[in-house]
């Protein structure tokens, strides 16, 4: 058993699908885990609201790792773009993480979630594409800003996290497109996240976890 995370504090943003799974995996690895949600109740961080970030940073004090799983996707063709939803999408993936870096004392690493759509332009995915691409660039630049604290991004392909429940065609199409012949599983993500939190020579990088999709 690898006990390098034992006793370390991990703040996970996002109390839903992958956020919950990452929190459980980090807890099982011996970390002391805090989960922040933008919904009321418990530790509250809304990445659209800097005051909630500052308040949580003051409440928790220094943390070893921060993992941001937040997303507020706005999938719309350019003619139907909603400005407020576009700003919210950038808050979750880009501006919010910069503010996390501003307010939190992070001792070891910051991990941002990107996504494969950032590298695969298609009509209707301009906001999700640009925000996910920008998350990877944010990791690269924050790595220089926060050094020697490490900053990386994880860019998953389609993951059967629960977010696609009711849309089996998404998972079926993903299985056809990957080289490994299946969509991603939650354990694929949690294993990679734990590795990235422990990987002390990895910074400024984006890991593409997408089953070798061509
Ligand atoms: N599942 C996939 O196929 C897939 C593929 C590529 C990339 N990803 C990325 O992986 C990450 C997690 O995905 P998921 O499948 O777990 O989807 P999800 O359940 O929709 O996760 C999104 C999270 O964002 C949080 N959130 C939303 N607005 C927020 C805000 N204003 N402030 C703070 N938190 C906010 C939500 O948590 P609360 O409601 O608790 O705040 C939720 O846990 C996302 O960044 C997503 O883009 C997923």
């Amino acid at each position: 058993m690898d006990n390098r995370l034992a006793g370390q504090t991990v703040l996970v943003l996002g109390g839903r699908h992958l956020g919950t799974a990452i929190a459980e995996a980090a807890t099982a690895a011996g970390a002391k885990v805090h989960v922040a949600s933008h919904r009321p109740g418990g530790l509250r961080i809304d990445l659209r609201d800097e005051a909630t970030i500052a308040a949580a940073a003051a409440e928790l004090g220094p943390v070893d790792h921060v993992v941001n799983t937040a997303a507020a996707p706005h999938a719309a063709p350019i003619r139907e773009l909603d400005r407020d939803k576009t700003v919210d999408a950038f808050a979750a993936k880009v501006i919010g993480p910069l503010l996390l870096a501003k307010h939190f004392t992070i001792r070891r690493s910051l991990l941002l979630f990107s996504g494969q759509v950032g590298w695969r332009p298609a009509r209707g995915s301009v906001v999700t594409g640009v925000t996910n691409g920008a998350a990877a660039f944010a990791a690269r630049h924050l790595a220089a800003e926060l050094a020697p604290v490490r900053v990386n991004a994880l860019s998953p392909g389609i993951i059967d996290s629960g977010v696609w429940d009711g849309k089996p065609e998404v998972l079926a199409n993903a299985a056809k497109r990957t080289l490994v012949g299946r969509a991603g599983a939650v354990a694929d993500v949690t294993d990679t996240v734990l590795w990235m939190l422990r990987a002390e020579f990895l910074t400024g990088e984006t890991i593409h976890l997408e089953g070798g999709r061509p």
Side-chain angles (χ1 to χ4, degrees), residues 3 10 12 30 37 45 47 110 133 140 142 145 159 190:
N3 63 0
V10 179
V12 180
S37 170
I45 296 178
L47 289 172
L110 170 61
R140 186 121 188 111
L142 282 173
E145 190 84 36
I159 307 294
T190 55

Side-chain angles (χ1 to χ4, degrees), residues 40-128:
L43 180 63
R44 185 164 173 272
I45 296 178
D46 186 335
L47 289 172
R48 298 167 297 185
D49 180 355
E50 184 172 5
T52 66
I53 298 170
E59 182 182 335
L60 291 185
V63 291
D64 290 302
H65 306 275
V66 176
V67 180
N68 180 40
T69 74
H74 176 40
I78 198 75
R79 296 282 182 200
E80 292 164 30
L81 207 69
D82 179 293
R83 187 183 184 283
D84 291 344
K85 288 181 182 167
T86 302
V87 171
D88 288 353
F90 275 90
K93 289 259 177 181
V94 189
I95 303 166
L98 300 184
L99 295 173
L100 291 170
K102 171 183 172 184
H103 287 285
F104 273 89
T105 300
I106 302 173
R107 287 191 285 233
R108 294 171 187 269
S109 79
L110 170 61
L111 178 57
L112 307 183
F113 265 71
S114 174
Q116 67 173 12
V117 66
W119 285 264
R120 294 197 170 75
R123 285 212 170 129
S125 63
V126 65
V127 176
T128 45

